[in-house]
Amino acid sequence: MLERRGSLVLAVICACTACPPLRQPPDSLLAAFTLNHTVPLEFYYVDDSNKGKGTHYKYSQSDINQLIREAERFIQQALSVLFGSTHPWYECLLLALGASHVTTVEYNKLTYSHPLITTTTPSLLETTSLFHTALSISSFDHDGLGRYGDPINPDGDLVAMDTVRNVLEENGLFFLTVPIGPDVLVWNLHRRYGYQRLPLLLCGWEEVESVGWEEELLTSPAPFTIQYEPVLILRHLAGCPFLP
């Protein structure tokens, strides 16, 4: 989510070109994907590309108004940070909190029929305007793996972080969730971030606060299907980008 003068954007940054998704990493890129063969490789194949089976999420204005009412009741009952959804629940949470408008940037097809929600595609995301805050909900760990038809890129997640950096004001805040634990690349499902790749992902950001963080889970053995995603609240810093 990107905020600019009262408006919010839910951003999933990706470009769709590969179809169907590859069932294994290209041999020529395997070393790059696994940090010179130091990150274990597992397999869990998914095709969420538009050119494959694809997905098209549709919600009417009455559906979204109902979600907003539910979000208002939720906010009254619990003041907590909550992330991760495949429908416009979090957009509705933001509207319930008083956001003037929410724009969702998504590579899959979306139809959210509501005057306060706009949907668009990553290619139309403006990188010339600066935003105050950003929020990525369990999305950047997928970038570069081709699952959603995005280009195969060992550094796709780092490119996505760099894109956020480029559209945020200096000292802007970024709310980020990704799977945390012992490093592993699960092709083509997602990455899990541990001591090796997490510092690369967070380069150029200062951690302001975290919600649900447990240091020991960085190294505790766990199946790659186990989801542990604390919320990292980061501040945009000048300098130290991973990419030139």
Side-chain angles (χ1 to χ4, degrees), residues 23 42-46 147 186-190 224-225:
R23 290 191 173 273
E42 301 282 356
F43 292 91
Y44 191 110
Y45 183 77
V46 183
R147 170 180 169 180
V186 185
W187 191 272
N188 64 349
L189 184 65
H190 66 194
F224 66 78
T225 54

Side-chain angles (χ1 to χ4, degrees), residues 104-137:
T104 300
V105 183
E106 169 60 60
Y107 29 72
N108 276 313
K109 296 177 182 178
L110 299 176
T111 301
Y112 293 169
S113 300
H114 195 277
L116 298 183
I117 300 178
T118 298
T119 62
T120 187
T121 60
S123 62
L124 299 179
L125 176 64
E126 295 183 8
T127 58
T128 56
S129 301
L130 296 180
F131 297 84
H132 300 309
T133 61
L135 174 60
S136 173
I137 304 170

Side-chain angles (χ1 to χ4, degrees), residues 6-225:
S7 295
L8 291 163
V9 176
L10 173 62
V12 180
I13 301 170
C14 181
C16 304
T17 58
C19 179
L22 299 179
R23 290 191 173 273
Q24 60 184 22
D27 290 340
S28 61
L29 297 177
L30 184 57
F33 270 112
T34 59
L35 298 180
N36 201 25
H37 305 288
T38 62
V39 173
L41 174 64
E42 301 282 356
F43 292 91
Y44 191 110
Y45 183 77
V46 183
D47 183 357
D48 281 325
S49 65
N50 284 325
K51 296 178 183 178
K53 65 177 183 180
T55 48
H56 185 171
Y57 302 103
K58 296 182 180 181
Y59 292 86
S60 68
Q61 182 169 341
S62 60
D63 292 335
I64 293 175
N65 282 334
Q66 178 61 32
L67 284 173
I68 293 173
R69 288 190 291 270
E70 292 177 8
E72 289 171 341
R73 290 194 294 271
F74 173 85
I75 291 168
Q76 292 171 357
Q77 295 171 0
L79 295 177
S80 61
V81 181
L82 190 62
F83 300 90
S85 176
T86 56
H87 61 59
W89 170 246
Y90 297 101
E91 290 89 337
C92 293
L93 278 176
L94 293 170
L95 292 174
L97 284 168
S100 61
H101 194 88
V102 176
T103 300
T104 300
V105 183
E106 169 60 60
Y107 29 72
N108 276 313
K109 296 177 182 178
L110 299 176
T111 301
Y112 293 169
S113 300
H114 195 277
L116 298 183
I117 300 178
T118 298
T119 62
T120 187
T121 60
S123 62
L124 299 179
L125 176 64
E126 295 183 8
T127 58
T128 56
S129 301
L130 296 180
F131 297 84
H132 300 309
T133 61
L135 174 60
S136 173
I137 304 170
S138 306
S139 58
F140 290 173
D141 51 293
H142 306 294
D143 280 321
L145 306 185
R147 170 180 169 180
Y148 294 95
D150 48 308
I152 301 301
N153 184 351
D155 295 329
D157 53 341
L158 308 182
V159 173
M161 293 289 286
D162 199 57
T163 300
V164 175
R165 184 181 296 107
N166 288 336
V167 299
L168 268 183
E169 295 178 350
E170 185 175 348
N171 295 318
L173 293 180
F174 180 29
F175 293 78
L176 172 70
T177 74
V178 292
I180 297 295
D183 288 278
V184 64
L185 171 66
V186 185
W187 191 272
N188 64 349
L189 184 65
H190 66 194
R191 302 173 182 84
R192 186 170 64 192
Y193 295 84
Y195 281 119
Q196 292 173 266
R197 195 165 188 88
L198 186 59
L200 298 179
L201 191 73
L202 300 183
C203 182
W205 302 90
E206 174 192 7
E207 183 178 323
V208 177
E209 192 175 346
S210 62
V211 179
W213 178 266
E214 297 182 49
E215 185 76 19
E216 63 274 14
L217 293 182
L218 270 175
T219 55
S220 298
F224 66 78
T225 54

